[in-house]
Amino acid sequence: MTPSSALSPMDRPPQRRSTRGKWTSLALAVVVNLLFVGVLVFSMSWQNREPEAVTAELYAPPPPPAPAPRVHAPAPQPMQPPPPEPAPPKPVAKAPPAVEKPAVPDADIALKAKREAEKRQQELAQQEAKRQEELRKQDEARKQDEARKQDEARRQEEIRRQDEARKQDELRKQQAAQQAEQKRQAELKERQQKQIEAMRAQAAKEEQLRRQAEREQTMRAQAEREANMRAQAERESRMRAQAEQEARMRAEHAAAGAARSRAEADWINRIRSRIRNNINLPADMSGNPEAVFDVVQLPTGEIIDVKLRKSSGVPAYDNAVQRAILKSSPLPKPPQADMFERSLELRFRPLDQ
């Protein structure tokens, strides 16, 4: 793409336009202005004429008549007819003879004709200027359209060249891909042939190994069966001995557990007995409600905390039991140290022995 084609229509240097329409418009404007100046000068010279003097004969000497005032015409206004000239003052003794007035209608008609001519000239000048502007716009639009068409043609040519280059590049890539695919297929076929040969050799080797493994497996199975039979006999013998031992141990544990349970129950009964001996029952106590307390103790039997878990419904009885528990500290110790429990749950009824 050339540097000239890269420029847009707005960036190109402006071209010289035709000056024929400009000179025509300028000549019309000069003619119209000259006509306007001529009309203005004629109007001023016609309105500034001096009024004629008026004389009169009197029978008696009248007082000297006052001089007629000099009336100046107002300044002319463009595009408007001049106002009529005021009449001169009347004399005192005798009316002056009639004075012939200027031919105003003829001047108005001439002024009107000049103004209409001037207006037509202005309209013609405007129409010509409008036509020249329209021609200028059409010429500019035509040039812009031609520039757009040239840009579009260059752009289409560039697109065509790019598309052709892209197709050639794709064709080269396609040919290279085909060659690479052919090479890959040949290499793949060669590898597959080698793999088939290797698989055949591997299959023969595996068949040989399988037969050898079957022979070895048969021998191992026979040995395992014999070993399993011997192991089964030994396991049965051990299981019988273990069952007998477990039975003896369960019997011993049951006896020990029963003895431990009896010892724990005896220890709890001794604690409850000591506490019951310290309970002072309320005088109005009726029924046999149950109160449950959580007691926390040290290994020495000293009580460090007492909490009422379940009330008997009689606050006086609950308080009496709580005081008896605190009064019974330290509590009796268990017969064995491993039987000690830090937290005890103690239940009390008024009628318990």
Side-chain angles (χ1 to χ4, degrees):
M1 183 181 293
T2 60
S4 61
S5 63
L7 296 175
S8 64
M10 299 301 294
D11 297 332
R12 295 176 181 171
Q15 300 178 357
R16 299 184 61 185
R17 299 174 182 173
S18 176
T19 58
R20 183 180 61 183
K22 292 184 178 180
W23 288 110
T24 304
S25 301
L26 181 62
L28 290 175
V30 170
V31 171
V32 170
N33 289 329
L34 290 176
L35 289 174
F36 179 74
V37 171
V39 171
L40 183 62
V41 171
F42 176 77
S43 176
M44 291 292 295
S45 62
W46 175 73
Q47 291 184 2
N48 290 334
R49 291 182 302 175
E50 295 293 333
E52 297 179 358
V54 178
T55 57
E57 294 181 0
L58 301 176
Y59 294 98
R70 185 175 181 179
V71 179
H72 296 281
Q77 297 180 359
M79 304 302 293
Q80 292 183 1
E85 186 178 357
K90 297 180 180 180
V92 177
K94 184 178 180 181
V99 180
E100 183 179 358
K101 295 182 180 180
V104 178
D106 295 337
D108 290 340
I109 291 173
L111 181 59
K112 185 176 181 181
K114 290 180 180 180
R115 288 177 179 174
E116 289 179 356
E118 179 183 356
K119 184 176 180 182
R120 283 195 300 271
Q121 292 294 334
Q122 291 179 355
E123 290 177 354
L124 291 174
Q126 292 177 357
Q127 291 177 0
E128 181 64 20
K130 185 176 180 181
R131 188 179 68 82
Q132 292 297 329
E133 180 65 19
E134 185 66 24
L135 291 175
R136 184 189 64 78
K137 290 182 178 179
Q138 291 178 0
D139 185 65
E140 183 177 355
R142 180 181 57 78
K143 292 179 180 179
Q144 292 179 357
D145 186 62
E146 290 178 355
R148 283 195 299 270
K149 289 181 179 179
Q150 292 177 1
D151 292 341
E152 181 64 20
R154 285 191 292 271
R155 189 178 68 83
Q156 293 296 333
E157 180 64 19
E158 182 66 21
I159 292 173
R160 186 189 63 78
R161 288 197 297 269
Q162 292 178 358
D163 187 63
E164 184 177 355
R166 179 181 57 78
K167 289 180 179 179
Q168 292 179 357
D169 186 62
E170 290 179 355
L171 181 59
R172 287 193 298 270
K173 290 181 179 179
Q174 186 177 3
Q175 292 175 354
Q178 289 178 355
Q179 293 176 358
E181 180 65 18
Q182 292 175 358
K183 183 178 179 181
R184 188 184 68 81
Q185 291 293 337
E187 293 176 353
L188 178 61
K189 186 176 181 180
E190 184 179 358
R191 286 197 303 270
Q192 288 177 352
Q193 186 66 28
K194 292 180 180 180
Q195 288 176 358
I196 291 172
E197 294 176 356
M199 289 172 63
R200 288 174 181 173
Q202 183 68 22
K205 185 178 180 180
E206 289 178 355
E207 180 64 20
Q208 183 180 0
L209 294 174
R210 184 184 63 79
R211 291 176 182 177
Q212 183 179 356
E214 286 180 354
R215 289 193 299 269
E216 294 177 354
Q217 185 176 3
T218 302
M219 295 174 64
R220 283 196 303 270
Q222 182 65 27
E224 287 178 359
R225 282 195 297 271
E226 295 175 357
N228 288 335
M229 291 175 65
R230 290 192 298 270
Q232 181 68 23
E234 293 177 0
R235 281 197 302 271
E236 290 177 355
S237 177
R238 286 196 301 270
M239 289 176 64
R240 283 193 298 271
Q242 185 177 0
E244 293 175 357
Q245 184 179 2
E246 288 179 355
R248 288 193 300 272
M249 290 179 63
R250 282 196 297 271
E252 293 174 358
H253 288 165
R260 183 182 178 87
S261 298
R262 287 193 298 270
E264 289 179 352
D266 182 64
W267 174 48
I268 296 299
N269 288 332
R270 286 190 291 115
I271 293 174
R272 294 176 68 248
S273 176
R274 175 178 291 187
I275 295 173
R276 278 198 304 270
N277 291 333
N278 293 324
I279 296 175
N280 294 322
L281 294 176
D284 57 349
M285 187 65 192
S286 62
N288 192 27
E290 182 183 44
V292 182
F293 287 87
D294 290 331
V295 180
V296 181
Q297 63 173 342
L298 296 175
T300 59
E302 295 180 1
I303 298 173
I304 58 176
D305 190 19
V306 179
K307 291 183 179 180
L308 177 64
R309 175 183 291 186
K310 179 183 175 183
S311 175
S312 63
V314 181
Y317 177 70
D318 296 339
N319 294 333
V321 174
Q322 186 172 7
R323 288 193 299 270
I325 292 172
L326 294 173
K327 186 177 180 181
S328 301
S329 180
L331 299 177
K333 296 181 181 180
Q336 300 177 5
D338 59 348
M339 295 175 57
F340 174 77
E341 293 183 4
R342 182 179 176 86
S343 298
L344 299 175
E345 180 181 328
L346 302 178
R347 299 173 179 272
F348 297 94
R349 291 178 181 272
L351 300 181
D352 288 347
Q353 297 298 328

